[in-house]
Amino acid sequence: GGEVYSWGLNHEGQLGHGGRDKLTLPKRIQALRGVKIVAIAAGLETSAAVSDKGALFVWGMGRWHQLATGDNKSREQPVEVLIEGTPVTWTAVSLGDFHVAGVTTFGEMYTWGLSMYGALGLSDNALSVVKTPILVSQPKELRNVKAVACGSRHTLALTGVGDLFAVGQGEYGKLGQGNDLDLYTARRVPKLIGKNVRSIACGISHSAAL
């Protein structure tokens, strides 16, 4: 177990095999051989994986610094995400079109990449591009995060007590706030307070919770 396979379109190296040729059959990612992977994610043209030891690997499109490498170049093989040069123990990851959200063992949520429509949850004065993982510190109630889900330009975060928070582009009402306004700081989804949410998912322009 713990082996990662990928196939399909490969314009940005998102398959992780060291080239950009498409694949019509699943192929094991050799760069992750010897690493037991326990979670994976796929975005528009970026991919990610979390190991059993909490290492986070990303590859594919890096144009908006989704790979947190310090430059905006794409990578055709997995690279590990560090914070200030230091490894972090990650538990979960999700990818939007151009942004990334990750969760650490401390229940902290970090985001990076393109901050369009507030998808990173870093408040109104967030940078347009965040090049390295930044802790989402607001609101204070957003702690003990257990799961994240990224849509095209919005993000959901689920806490250990079952509270669901949403942030980013509000078009089509996908933040669950009863309107279509963008949010730059995460807010609880009011209709689901007290519902003990256990699982979350995002499409391009909709959200779902179990």
Side-chain angles (χ1 to χ4, degrees):
E3 302 172 356
V4 182
Y5 293 77
S6 63
W7 60 100
L9 187 65
N10 198 25
H11 280 169
E12 297 287 341
Q14 62 262 41
L15 300 188
H17 300 299
R20 300 200 178 191
D21 295 333
K22 73 173 183 181
L23 289 178
T24 58
L25 292 171
K27 180 180 179 181
R28 184 178 178 183
I29 298 178
Q30 294 297 322
L32 294 174
R33 184 179 287 274
V35 180
K36 184 177 182 181
I37 299 299
V38 295
I40 56 175
L44 181 65
E45 291 184 304
T46 308
S47 303
V50 179
S51 78
D52 61 340
K53 292 181 170 58
L56 172 58
F57 300 93
V58 291
W59 60 97
M61 182 199 290
R63 187 174 304 135
W64 304 106
H65 292 270
Q66 305 99 301
L67 308 185
T69 55
D71 61 51
N72 65 349
K73 296 178 181 177
S74 297
R75 296 293 195 279
E76 297 170 355
Q77 290 185 315
V79 293
E80 186 175 354
V81 175
L82 308 175
I83 296 181
E84 296 180 351
T86 304
V88 178
T89 306
W90 303 89
T91 59
V93 64
S94 186
L95 304 174
D97 279 2
F98 307 116
H99 74 287
V100 186
V103 180
T104 71
T105 50
F106 295 111
E108 297 172 328
M109 181 170 84
Y110 286 79
T111 58
W112 61 99
L114 184 62
S115 185
M116 187 183 295
Y117 301 106
L120 302 187
L122 299 176
S123 81
D124 288 305
N125 55 6
L127 302 172
S128 59
V129 176
V130 174
K131 299 179 180 180
T132 58
I134 299 292
L135 175 66
V136 180
S137 59
Q138 297 293 329
K140 292 181 294 182
E141 299 80 16
L142 182 61
R143 59 182 186 271
N144 191 24
V145 177
K146 296 297 184 185
V148 286
C150 295
S152 177
R153 295 175 178 85
H154 74 296
T155 305
L156 300 182
L158 178 62
T159 72
V161 295
D163 283 339
L164 179 59
F165 289 80
V167 70
Q169 186 183 48
E171 189 180 22
Y172 307 116
K174 57 181 174 281
L175 302 184
Q177 304 295 315
N179 55 50
D180 57 4
L181 302 178
D182 300 339
L183 288 178
Y184 293 84
T185 300
R187 284 187 194 165
R188 282 191 178 96
V189 177
K191 192 82 171 178
L192 297 178
I193 292 176
K195 294 291 188 182
N196 191 25
V197 176
R198 297 183 180 184
S199 182
I200 54 176
C202 291
I204 292 175
S205 296
H206 72 292
S207 306
L210 172 64

